[in-house]
Amino acid sequence: PVNHTCHPAGGYKKIFETCEELNEPIPAVVVGVIPEWLSGSLLRLGPGLFEVGAEPFYHLFDGQALMHKFDLKNGHVTYYRKFVKTDAYVRAMTEKRVVITEFGTAAYPDPCKNIFSRFFTYFKGIEVTDNCLVNVYPVGEDFYACTETNYITKVDPDTLETLKRVDLCDYLSVNGVTAHPHIESDGTVYNIGNCFGKNMSLAYNIVKIPPTPKDKSDPIAKSKVLVQLPSSERFKPSYVHSFGMTENYFVFVETPVKINLLKFLTAWSIWGTNYMDCFESNETMGTWFHLATKDPAEYIEHKFRTSAFNLFHHINSYEDDGFIIVDLCTWKGHEFVYNYLYLANLRENWEEVKKAAMRAPQPEVRRYVLPMDVHKVSVGKNLISLPYTTATAVMRSDGTIWLEPEVLFSGPRQAFEFPQINYSKFSGKNYSYAYGLGLNHFIPDRICKLNVKTKDTWVWQEPDSYPSEPIFVQTPDSVEEDDGVLLSIVVNPGADQRPGYLLILNARDLTEIARAEVEVIIPVTFHGMYKAE
């Protein structure tokens, strides 16, 4: 899906604007026919408040968390949205200023306090944000909205009420976990986060939350660290956004985007520092792949290496004949892609948006293949003998294994991102199809499907329309992997009426089945889930 679409009208700016929450669900106007089996809710999260009074939020990941819900039942659709009542949000509303430092926006001390009380608030320690604007996922019978810190927020998926904040540090030795857990069919949740390991050196912990126990108690209280993976640098963990899981292995990709912990820990006592200021790139390490077994959970000492890239989203991973196949949405190079996601950049006119993206890392969908058996190897020989891939792995004389990828999709400044698959049936298994949001110079303007075996692509796109991550919902009792629908929230800000809609596509060929239009603009959302009735 190489994209020739332009956006001179700049309608995309509207998805980065503050909106109001709704007092009650509003009915949608349905065009087309919604499949009668499709009964449930699409839940999504993203920023909805982009400034507090006169104080702006600066980064895409700073706006206050807004939860969206499209309810589908008997062919009818309603739309509802509420701000998550996090500490960050409630305190900002109360004090009418940014109180908690967000990803790219620093909170300043209360101007009403004198210098002494200000001085003493520095010793309360770091106040980490609980602004859960990234994703929502089930844990046992409950639903949690999340960002990437130690705080997750329990929400009611029906009323969108905020129920309670949970501090994972109360249960686990992690500084935070990702917004991309893996969830097994029995409800077991796996995640990864960095932590201080033995003798203050850094490590990454893979954690496990069991399914709901028989006594219906909270599974989070029973969560535990399964296995610890080492860090390439003692005081500088890599930024980790997601990880891979096959039937028997965990896959962790350690990228050269590093968090300078010393900077992070001292930054907070210095006025005006935020999370973005604590990232730096390691220009020499490239990218390291780590493997661990699931049961028993043990780190595997193979040293897989490849060239530098940013990684946010794993697509899928699976085992085949002694190899582990790892499909990724990569961005080439070591410069941090988040540097390009400041709101000021995204709100520029189209020519400026394009110019900025020219200097950014280039996106590429890649397949890496990791050999499990590397013992009796001859140095310099390709270890990958799978018949269907051009990916290679070569043992070097220093004992490291150098990986080269197979490219599954590549288009200049055209990213296949926010990937989704038929997760319930094909997560961790040999699969054929990935669905994604197409980013055109970072602006989301199409929905894509990729056949990872043949590299065939399909595209849904309309002028001046800005979709969100497509979520796959399987047709009941289907056998084919792509028998189902895709759900995406689309905004066409220039429309005469009903600028926001839920789009329902046939996952087979990306043809439209129906849309459910509402009279409001819906700001950008990142991730979410479909909750069947």
Side-chain angles (χ1 to χ4, degrees):
V2 174
N3 197 324
H4 304 293
T5 310
C6 284
H7 302 282
Y12 52 84
K13 298 174 192 183
K14 292 279 184 212
I15 65 176
F16 309 115
E17 282 181 14
T18 293
C19 69
E20 294 191 345
E21 59 180 21
L22 293 169
N23 294 323
E24 61 206 352
I26 57 174
V29 175
V30 175
V31 180
V33 179
I34 291 168
E36 87 287 344
W37 55 264
L38 195 60
S39 185
S41 311
L42 175 68
L43 300 167
R44 295 191 59 77
L45 277 142
L49 180 77
F50 292 88
E51 63 286 310
V52 183
E55 298 186 15
F57 288 111
Y58 293 106
H59 200 273
L60 177 60
F61 303 134
D62 294 349
Q64 297 300 290
L66 182 62
M67 192 164 177
H68 307 258
K69 175 170 70 110
F70 275 96
D71 271 326
L72 302 114
K73 202 175 176 124
N74 309 329
H76 296 283
V77 181
T78 60
Y79 169 66
Y80 191 39
R81 66 182 176 214
K82 278 276 180 241
F83 282 103
V84 185
K85 305 307 185 285
T86 59
D87 263 29
Y89 178 84
V90 171
R91 290 169 68 178
M93 290 296 103
T94 307
E95 300 192 31
K96 299 188 175 35
R97 65 186 187 91
V98 176
V99 181
I100 303 289
T101 291
E102 298 293 354
F103 194 72
T105 303
Y108 290 93
D110 187 343
C112 306
K113 284 184 181 163
N114 68 34
I115 189 77
F116 292 105
S117 57
R118 260 194 229 175
F119 182 75
F120 284 108
T121 54
Y122 284 149
F123 293 99
K124 286 217 305 262
I126 298 171
E127 283 204 274
V128 173
T129 182
D130 60 347
N131 180 28
C132 50
L133 79 164
V134 183
N135 202 357
V136 55
Y137 59 87
V139 176
E141 323 260 284
D142 302 321
F143 291 83
Y144 288 88
C146 66
T147 176
E148 299 180 325
T149 65
N150 51 300
Y151 294 118
I152 58 175
T153 303
K154 189 168 156 182
V155 291
D156 182 321
D158 300 320
T159 65
L160 304 191
E161 271 175 298
T162 304
L163 300 175
K164 71 166 182 184
R165 174 170 95 166
V166 172
D167 182 352
L168 293 169
C169 292
D170 293 346
Y171 308 99
L172 287 166
S173 148
V174 287
N175 300 341
V177 293
T178 76
H180 294 287
H182 275 289
I183 304 178
E184 290 183 324
S185 51
D186 69 355
T188 306
V189 177
Y190 297 92
N191 211 333
I192 188 170
N194 42 46
C195 71
F196 297 105
K198 301 183 200 55
N199 65 32
M200 259 305 282
S201 67
L202 266 168
Y204 307 91
N205 281 343
I206 290 181
V207 301
K208 174 181 181 174
I209 308 175
T212 311
K214 296 268 187 291
D215 61 7
K216 293 282 185 227
S217 62
D218 183 1
I220 291 181
K222 305 214 167 37
S223 50
K224 59 175 198 282
V225 172
L226 273 190
V227 62
Q228 193 159 84
L229 313 173
S231 172
S232 61
E233 248 184 298
R234 182 145 176 217
F235 293 115
K236 295 178 182 176
S238 291
Y239 174 67
V240 49
H241 189 95
S242 67
F243 67 105
M245 191 172 83
T246 69
E247 286 179 36
N248 300 291
Y249 296 92
F250 297 112
V251 183
F252 166 53
V253 180
E254 192 176 20
T255 72
V257 175
K258 292 288 184 179
I259 301 160
N260 183 331
L261 265 193
L262 300 176
K263 213 187 217 174
F264 184 80
L265 295 173
T266 53
W268 298 83
S269 57
I270 300 163
W271 240 39
T273 322
N274 58 50
Y275 297 78
M276 272 298 282
D277 297 330
C278 301
F279 287 98
E280 58 187 47
S281 294
N282 181 319
E283 301 181 359
T284 55
M285 71 171 276
T287 301
W288 298 17
F289 281 64
H290 300 270
L291 288 177
T293 50
K294 265 172 84 174
D295 193 17
E298 280 165 5
Y299 180 64
I300 296 175
E301 297 288 344
H302 299 163
K303 296 183 165 62
F304 298 105
R305 304 287 183 264
T306 189
S307 52
F309 59 78
N310 282 225
L311 168 66
F312 306 102
H313 300 122
H314 280 250
I315 303 173
N316 199 12
S317 313
Y318 66 90
E319 301 155 42
D320 187 1
D321 197 22
F323 299 96
I324 295 180
I325 292 83
V326 184
D327 291 348
L328 307 171
C329 296
T330 67
W331 298 79
K332 302 176 193 183
H334 53 246
E335 194 203 355
F336 197 20
V337 169
Y338 287 5
N339 291 344
Y340 294 87
L341 301 181
Y342 282 95
L343 292 164
N345 303 9
L346 298 170
R347 289 166 173 154
E348 287 278 10
N349 291 327
W350 181 239
E351 289 308 314
E352 298 303 311
V353 164
K354 280 202 301 193
K355 208 176 349 180
M358 286 292 170
R359 316 189 62 112
Q362 286 267 17
E364 193 161 82
V365 179
R366 292 179 173 179
R367 166 167 289 183
Y368 287 90
V369 180
L370 284 56
M372 289 317 302
D373 184 21
V374 293
H375 304 293
K376 47 185 187 297
V377 305
S378 27
V379 169
K381 297 270 192 284
N382 175 28
L383 304 173
I384 309 299
S385 54
L386 282 180
Y388 56 79
T389 184
T390 61
T392 60
V394 174
M395 173 72 83
R396 298 188 291 187
S397 51
D398 64 358
T400 59
I401 300 148
W402 184 262
L403 305 174
E404 289 289 347
E406 174 178 3
V407 175
L408 300 183
F409 172 75
S410 195
R413 286 158 294 278
Q414 305 298 316
F416 176 99
E417 257 291 353
F418 295 89
Q420 290 286 320
I421 59 167
N422 180 341
Y423 189 90
S424 59
K425 280 209 173 137
F426 288 88
S427 177
K429 299 188 176 72
N430 192 333
Y431 76 117
S432 300
Y433 301 109
Y435 311 95
L437 179 63
L439 305 182
N440 175 5
H441 299 78
F442 296 111
I443 301 299
D445 70 355
R446 64 204 188 281
I447 292 169
C448 312
K449 175 183 182 178
L450 171 65
N451 181 327
V452 296
K453 290 185 160 69
T454 65
K455 303 184 174 63
D456 289 340
T457 56
W458 295 256
V459 175
W460 178 92
Q461 184 168 43
E462 280 189 8
D464 304 312
S465 299
Y466 304 99
S468 71
E469 166 192 66
I471 286 181
F472 178 87
V473 185
Q474 180 179 285
T475 308
D477 312 319
S478 60
V479 283
E480 297 292 326
E481 179 182 338
D482 58 352
D483 188 349
V485 299
L486 297 179
L487 304 180
S488 175
I489 297 178
V490 187
V491 184
N492 177 353
D496 294 333
Q497 50 175 359
R498 300 194 293 275
Y501 57 95
L502 171 67
L503 177 67
I504 305 176
L505 298 180
N506 186 336
R508 276 267 149 89
D509 54 7
L510 266 47
T511 53
E512 181 172 332
I513 291 174
R515 59 178 70 183
E517 307 172 339
V518 290
E519 264 311 345
V520 289
I521 283 188
I522 301 170
V524 62
T525 56
F526 301 129
H527 299 290
M529 59 174 290
Y530 177 75
K531 176 181 172 280
E533 283 221 331

